[in-house]
Amino acid sequence: MDKALLPDDPEKLKELILQQNRLLAAQNAAIADRDTVIVDRDAVIADKSAVIEELSEQVELLKAIAFAKKSEMAKKPAKDEYQYSLFDEAEFVCEQSSFEPEVVQVPAHFRAKKGRKPISESIPRKEIVHDIPDEEKICACGCELSRIGEVVSEKLDYVPAKIRVLRHVRPKYACKNCEGTEGDGPSVKIASMPPQLIRQGIVTPGLLAHILINKFCDGLPFYRQNKMFERLGIDISRSTMSNWTVLAAERCGPLMELMYEYLRSGRIINLDETPVQVLKEPGRENTTKSYMWVACRSGTKPVVLFHYAPSRAGKIATEIVGDFKGYLQTDGYAGYNALGESEGITHAGCMVHVRRKFMDVLKAGSKKKKGTASTVVALIAKLYRLEGRARKEEASETEILTMRTEKSSQILEKIHEIITKSSSSVPPTSLLGKAISYALGQWARITVFLENPTLSLDNNIAENAIRPFAVGRKNWLFSGSPRGAEASATLYSLIETAKANKLNPADYLCELFEKLPHAQSSTDLEALMPWAVSKNAETK
């Protein structure tokens, strides 16, 4: 400012300086307000960008669920994806690991000749001979042709099912001389009817087994079976088949008690659950979700046990497990937490569920996070290759334990290192953040398999066991009542346990329904369990 323009009066000069200071303060405040607005705007934009990214991930994942293949197998990376991995920190850590390169030897082999599979010799044969006329069996020289062989062509035929009636005839006897007046016994004597599974019913063990296998093994609802029986000339209503199912299941109740005992006597139980809709539940709407639980015991005398319950509460799992002591393997559902902390129970986790979370990241296609997810999936694949190789070579429990201690544990340490390092820089609400959080939360359980060679990496035993129920549910949709749901649980248990013991479930149910009415003791019931029937079949 020009000194000539300054006032001579000191008071006026002081007032002018104060005025200029106020102007400068106002300008600084305006600048600060502008900076605050800019910062707030940037924060809002960052928040919205994060939300958009999360929503985009969800959209891509939903598109993959709706339209992509349902298989969880990871596809091999494209050529250009290898270059991307060089700039990803997680991939770099993986590449710098001390793992020895995996060498896979493929033995020399010959391509199998293409052809039709032979028809089983157990199927009955009916011969149809196609011969040449007798006049063509004379040679041009006048001699009779000799048969030197034959050409056989086998073709499959189908004989439609037939319904027949078994007439149980019981002759009656009486004395015409005294007409029963000489004795105190009955005047008419007649043989007693053999014990029947369903008293006063027209169904035989063979027909009952056929109906139940159609529904619980092949997923045919009763209304479809009703149409099939109508084509055979007989009317068996849906309600009749439902009543037969409930009565048969109730008669098999003692077998279910034995199955619970065998389940709890093992060292490992695999547990899972799936929703089911049940009508007419007391105090509940028909649209309320109920659950079918499945518990599996593998090894000798395998058991696949289904249990219906109106809720998914952890107390249901406690009821199923009972006084069991050993390893309990489940997914990450919180309802199993209290049970896994019980005395005498060691809770093992499921590696497949951990992998599934990271596979969701790959399905969503987020390239920024794809490197870490693909690295974890690749390392988990190494774990499964080691386990598969051990099964193929039929390794002993000692060899499996050594392999897991020396190799599998190193892979798990590398996975833990990667996800721990990434957890601090990944938004917890993103798909990758959720996958990492789930893996870290389940880490103590998914590493339990290292200490026991009989444990599997995952809970696939229970998930595979519950799959037939889930497939059947798509056809029959719901159970008509809690009593019907309990009957379904019993019959699924018998059928799937028979399969686990390598029995034909139709043959097993037929034999069970024939012999169960004659069972009088626990020894008789033991002989009807699937593993006992399987052993008897092998002996024969």
Side-chain angles (χ1 to χ4, degrees):
M1 181 179 293
D2 192 352
K3 293 182 178 181
L5 299 178
L6 293 176
D8 297 332
D9 188 354
E11 294 296 331
K12 291 184 178 180
L13 180 60
K14 184 177 180 181
E15 183 180 354
L16 180 61
I17 293 173
L18 291 175
Q19 185 178 2
Q20 287 181 345
N21 289 338
R22 285 195 295 269
L23 289 175
L24 289 173
Q27 289 179 353
N28 291 334
I31 293 172
D33 291 341
R34 185 194 63 184
D35 292 341
T36 302
V37 170
I38 293 174
V39 171
D40 292 342
R41 183 192 63 188
D42 292 341
V44 170
I45 293 174
D47 291 341
K48 290 185 176 180
S49 299
V51 172
I52 291 172
E53 185 177 358
E54 291 178 15
L55 293 176
S56 299
E57 283 185 341
Q58 294 178 16
V59 169
E60 292 300 324
L61 179 58
L62 291 174
K63 286 167 61 178
I65 293 173
F67 304 112
K69 293 181 179 180
K70 298 299 184 290
S71 173
E72 294 184 353
M73 293 182 63
K75 66 177 183 178
K76 294 181 179 180
K79 293 181 179 180
D80 56 345
E81 292 184 10
Y82 288 106
Q83 184 65 25
Y84 168 75
S85 66
L86 296 176
F87 299 97
D88 187 87
E89 184 178 5
E91 289 282 356
F92 179 78
V93 172
C94 182
E95 292 296 330
Q96 296 298 318
S97 64
S98 58
F99 296 134
E100 296 180 358
E102 189 172 357
V103 179
V104 179
Q105 296 181 352
V106 180
H109 66 280
F110 297 95
R111 183 181 296 276
K113 184 179 179 181
K114 292 183 179 181
R116 187 171 55 197
K117 292 183 178 180
I119 302 173
S120 173
E121 295 295 334
S122 62
I123 299 177
R125 259 74 170 174
K126 177 183 178 181
E127 286 195 356
I128 302 175
V129 180
H130 304 279
D131 204 352
I132 60 177
D134 290 340
E135 57 270 17
E136 295 184 13
K137 296 180 181 179
I138 305 299
C139 182
C141 69
C143 297
E144 185 177 358
L145 299 179
S146 300
R147 182 170 176 172
I148 61 173
E150 61 186 12
V151 177
V152 179
S153 301
E154 291 192 336
K155 298 182 179 296
L156 279 176
D157 187 26
Y158 174 75
V159 179
K162 293 182 179 180
I163 291 289
R164 66 178 182 177
V165 177
L166 300 181
R167 299 180 70 242
H168 292 263
V169 180
R170 294 180 290 160
K172 297 192 296 184
Y173 298 91
C175 179
K176 293 184 178 181
N177 183 30
C178 66
E179 296 183 355
T181 58
E182 297 295 329
D184 297 332
S187 58
V188 178
K189 294 184 178 180
I190 184 174
S192 59
M193 191 70 177
Q196 303 291 311
L197 185 74
I198 298 179
R199 304 178 184 89
Q200 307 300 325
I202 64 172
V203 65
T204 64
L207 177 60
L208 182 59
H210 174 72
I211 291 173
L212 298 181
I213 289 296
N214 278 347
K215 177 170 182 179
F216 297 105
C217 197
D218 299 329
L220 281 177
F222 287 149
Y223 78 90
R224 294 186 190 172
Q225 296 192 54
N226 172 257
K227 299 297 182 182
M228 295 167 63
F229 285 123
E230 285 181 354
R231 293 197 296 269
L232 295 174
I234 190 170
D235 181 23
I236 304 178
S237 65
R238 295 167 56 187
S239 59
T240 299
M241 287 186 275
S242 297
N243 289 334
W244 289 346
T245 301
V246 173
L247 290 174
E250 290 176 349
R251 293 296 302 275
C252 294
L255 293 178
M256 289 296 292
E257 295 177 4
L258 281 177
M259 291 179 70
Y260 274 101
E261 292 180 9
Y262 276 102
L263 174 74
R264 295 162 182 166
S265 65
R267 290 295 301 157
I268 302 173
I269 289 182
N270 294 82
L271 203 59
D272 199 8
E273 80 290 329
T274 189
V276 61
Q277 186 177 355
V278 181
L279 309 183
K280 301 178 183 177
E281 288 182 309
R284 308 182 80 197
E285 297 290 337
N286 286 339
T287 55
T288 305
K289 188 183 296 184
S290 299
Y291 287 88
M292 187 69 77
W293 297 68
V294 64
C296 301
R297 165 188 161 164
S298 55
T300 58
K301 299 181 180 180
V303 174
V304 180
L305 194 148
F306 285 78
H307 180 91
Y308 155 71
S311 75
R312 199 188 181 195
K315 65 179 182 180
I316 307 299
T318 304
E319 293 174 5
I320 296 173
V321 171
D323 58 355
F324 166 76
K325 304 296 181 184
Y327 290 92
L328 176 69
Q329 192 161 31
T330 69
D331 55 25
Y333 170 50
Y336 300 123
N337 292 346
L339 183 58
E341 296 171 358
S342 302
E343 184 179 357
I345 292 181
T346 303
H347 200 171
C350 178
M351 185 65 74
V352 162
H353 281 76
V354 173
R355 179 183 182 276
R356 196 171 292 164
K357 302 289 185 182
F358 288 97
M359 284 298 297
D360 288 345
V361 180
L362 300 181
K363 291 177 182 178
S366 177
K367 292 184 178 180
K368 184 185 298 183
K369 305 167 185 176
K370 196 171 181 180
T372 301
S374 59
T375 301
V376 173
V377 170
L379 290 173
I380 293 176
K382 285 189 176 183
L383 287 174
Y384 277 95
R385 281 197 293 271
L386 289 173
E387 296 293 322
R389 193 175 304 161
R391 287 194 303 269
K392 185 177 180 180
E393 297 174 355
E394 298 181 354
S396 64
E397 292 186 1
T398 304
E399 292 172 338
I400 292 175
L401 191 60
T402 302
M403 177 268 293
R404 290 179 176 179
T405 302
E406 295 178 354
K407 298 181 180 179
S408 299
S409 60
Q410 294 184 28
I411 297 175
L412 285 170
E413 289 175 4
K414 186 56 62 178
I415 295 175
H416 190 264
E417 178 185 346
I418 292 172
I419 61 178
T420 302
K421 188 174 182 179
S422 300
S423 62
S424 59
S425 59
V426 175
T429 55
S430 65
L431 289 179
L432 182 58
K434 293 177 181 179
I436 292 175
S437 177
Y438 181 85
L440 292 175
Q442 293 289 309
W443 194 258
R445 297 175 185 173
I446 61 176
T447 55
V448 170
F449 80 97
L450 294 173
E451 66 186 50
N452 189 332
T454 59
L455 274 175
S456 175
L457 273 73
D458 50 54
N459 196 35
N460 276 357
I461 294 175
E463 292 206 356
N464 291 335
I466 212 168
R467 184 173 291 119
F469 175 84
V471 173
R473 181 181 56 198
K474 295 180 180 179
N475 293 285
W476 43 259
L477 301 179
F478 55 83
S479 293
S481 66
R483 195 178 174 203
E486 291 173 358
S488 297
T490 297
L491 293 167
Y492 270 113
S493 299
L494 294 172
I495 290 172
E496 294 305 318
T497 302
K499 289 181 183 179
N501 286 272
K502 300 180 180 179
L503 288 175
N504 183 324
D507 295 341
Y508 171 70
L509 285 189
C510 188
E511 182 175 352
L512 173 64
F513 295 156
E514 286 179 355
K515 296 181 178 179
L516 184 59
H518 301 274
Q520 300 294 329
S521 63
S522 58
T523 304
D524 296 336
L525 292 174
E526 288 276 0
L528 295 177
M529 299 304 288
W531 46 84
V533 174
S534 176
K535 187 176 181 180
N536 294 336
E538 291 176 0
T539 304
K540 294 179 181 179

